[in-house]
Amino acid sequence: MKIVVMMDSFKGSLSSLEAGSIVKDEILGLNPKEEIKILPIADGGEGTIDAMADLPSAIYEKVLVKDPLLNEREARYVIVVDKNLAIMEMSEAAGLVLIKDNLAPLRASTYGVGMMILDAMDKGIRDFIIGIGGSATNDGGVGMLAALGFKFLDADGFEIFPANIGLSKLSSIDISNADKRLGDCNFKIACDVDNPLTGNRGAAAVYGPQKGASPDEVRFIDQNLKLFHKLSQTVIADADDNFPGVGAAGGLGYAFLNYLKADLAPGIEIILDTLGADKILDGADLVITGEGKIDFQSSMGKAPTGVAKLAKSHGANVIAFAGIVDNDAIEINKHGIDAFFPIIDKLTSLEEAMDKAKAEENLRRTVNQVFRLIYLYKD
């Protein structure tokens, strides 16, 4: 058989490459003649840069940026040298986890995201993949844009504070000083939600509370984002506040789409396209995928079902392995995964389940037993 192993990470325990290598080793231990290709994957969310760091010619970059509260921190991203491509997670600079004990929905800024982009441009990068999940911000992306040279001014001509609270004083926008290199850049934004910028399904209403916003603050944030869109239309005639995903990451999707002319798409689709997965899957008989947890959400565009969709277009069968499987995970069988298998075989603590050595042991055992069964019935 030609087997392609496309595992997402088991977050907190095994990287994508580690999980894939374990699967490959166990299969070859049973049948050394199998043709097996490992392709580490991610869905654009947490762990994407670590998964992509396993690509040939990929290197980590570190840069000092501003965190959501504009304190200095070190952020990481990956450059894939042979593609002249930067792969980033906005959460490295503006993630909720960075200020989880000090949430500030009105003052949290995406400024550090712009600093990461500047650093990559300084290194000659013009193609970007950026995951925008896990944000702490509600600033519509003005922080990022301010770092890139866009000017957001109050009635007296002074720059506003680069966060949602500053938007309440926004009077005009000047795009003439934006970094000229941006015109040569291509941005692909991994965005797995379809929310508009404002309203009942907008950035504030849906995601504001989890970032610490009270009901009054949600209304205030939404009002400010509406003002931002209104003034954006004075400098960008076709500015769109309803395009699916512009409400992602507190409106960061809006800034990317309208100011940086980015493409917003499901993260797994962007990653698979970048990796050339379509070509790798040619002639595949079996595709193996998986992640730390498979549940109902796995059927909604996450890595395993994204892999399955592409694999089925090549006529391959698909099986998945997961650390944890919920009762409603059966939904993924409707989305191209022919069978899935949990690797935990007994009641255990979360700490034990996520232990690296234990996770490897569990995955090895499960893969071994599944393929023993496969080989019983294989011609």
Side-chain angles (χ1 to χ4, degrees):
M1 287 190 293
K2 178 181 177 180
I3 302 172
V4 181
V5 183
M6 303 171 68
M7 302 289 286
D8 198 353
S9 64
F10 285 47
K11 292 180 177 61
S13 54
L14 300 172
S15 72
S16 303
L17 181 60
E18 288 170 335
S21 297
I22 290 167
V23 172
K24 179 179 179 179
D25 289 348
E26 286 302 309
I27 297 172
L28 291 179
L30 294 171
N31 186 352
K33 295 182 179 180
E34 297 288 26
E35 177 188 351
I36 303 177
K37 170 72 175 180
I38 299 175
L39 187 66
I41 62 160
D43 61 9
E46 179 187 356
T48 294
I49 59 174
D50 291 325
M52 297 300 98
D54 291 323
L55 293 174
S57 87
I59 55 174
Y60 279 111
E61 294 289 345
K62 296 180 180 179
V63 57
L64 290 177
V65 301
K66 300 294 185 181
D67 74 4
L69 299 183
L70 302 182
N71 298 310
E72 194 171 79
R73 70 165 266 109
E74 187 176 77
R76 304 176 308 147
Y77 66 94
V78 165
I79 287 179
V80 184
V81 176
D82 62 4
K83 294 179 180 292
N84 197 36
L85 168 71
I87 302 173
M88 299 177 171
E89 296 174 29
M90 70 84 64
S91 59
E92 280 285 309
L96 191 66
V97 67
L98 302 179
I99 58 169
K100 60 183 179 180
D101 297 322
N102 191 22
L103 298 179
L106 299 181
R107 301 187 67 82
S109 175
T110 55
Y111 195 90
V113 180
M115 296 176 73
M116 283 200 297
I117 293 170
L118 285 174
D119 186 71
M121 289 197 299
D122 288 344
K123 293 179 169 69
I125 299 299
R126 297 295 181 267
D127 291 325
F128 294 81
I129 292 174
I130 304 178
I132 59 173
S135 78
T137 55
N138 302 279
D139 70 353
V142 295
M144 174 190 74
L145 296 173
L148 295 173
F150 294 86
K151 303 295 183 184
F152 301 93
L153 309 172
D154 64 18
D156 296 318
F158 295 105
E159 290 190 63
I160 63 170
F161 186 78
N164 187 276
I165 196 167
L167 288 175
S168 65
K169 298 181 179 179
L170 185 63
S171 179
S172 63
I173 301 171
D174 181 359
I175 65 174
S176 64
N177 292 311
D179 195 304
K180 304 306 181 193
R181 296 174 295 180
L182 291 170
D184 298 322
C185 291
N186 298 299
F187 294 92
K188 293 183 178 180
I189 307 304
C191 176
D192 293 326
V193 302
D194 62 359
N195 305 81
L197 181 64
T198 60
N200 292 335
R201 293 188 60 252
V206 177
Y207 304 109
Q210 71 189 40
K211 301 173 186 181
S214 68
D216 285 343
E217 287 173 328
V218 165
R219 287 187 285 272
F220 182 70
I221 291 167
D222 192 63
Q223 175 184 314
N224 291 341
L225 291 174
K226 287 177 179 176
L227 174 62
F228 175 42
H229 172 60
K230 180 180 179 180
L231 291 176
S232 292
Q233 290 178 304
T234 66
V235 292
I236 302 171
D238 59 350
D240 190 345
D241 63 342
N242 280 307
F243 189 89
V246 293
L252 183 60
Y254 178 88
F256 271 118
L257 177 76
N258 293 300
Y259 283 82
L260 301 184
K261 307 306 177 186
D263 293 323
L264 275 59
I268 187 61
E269 293 181 9
I270 291 174
I271 296 300
L272 291 176
D273 180 63
T274 300
L275 296 175
D278 202 51
K279 183 177 181 180
I280 292 170
L281 287 170
D282 275 346
D285 301 294
L286 178 64
V287 174
I288 301 172
T289 187
E291 60 182 348
K293 182 179 181 180
I294 290 180
D295 53 19
F296 179 79
Q297 288 190 353
S298 298
S299 68
M300 301 169 66
K302 293 182 72 178
T305 49
V307 167
K309 179 181 178 181
L310 186 59
K312 286 301 181 184
S313 72
H314 288 265
N317 294 319
V318 183
I319 61 175
F321 296 97
I324 299 172
V325 173
D326 279 1
N327 289 336
D328 55 5
I330 196 168
E331 185 71 20
I332 68 172
N333 290 140
K334 301 175 185 177
H335 295 268
I337 294 178
D338 298 297
F340 59 85
F341 303 91
I343 68 172
I344 296 175
D345 64 342
K346 62 179 179 295
L347 187 64
T348 187
S349 67
L350 179 62
E351 181 180 5
E352 182 180 6
M354 295 185 68
D355 177 76
K356 188 180 185 71
K358 189 64 178 176
E360 178 176 346
E361 176 188 327
N362 288 338
L363 182 57
R364 285 190 181 280
R365 180 193 64 253
T366 309
V367 172
N368 182 281
Q369 293 302 302
V370 168
F371 273 83
R372 283 180 180 276
L373 180 62
I374 289 173
Y375 290 136
L376 279 178
Y377 292 94
K378 185 176 180 296
D379 293 335

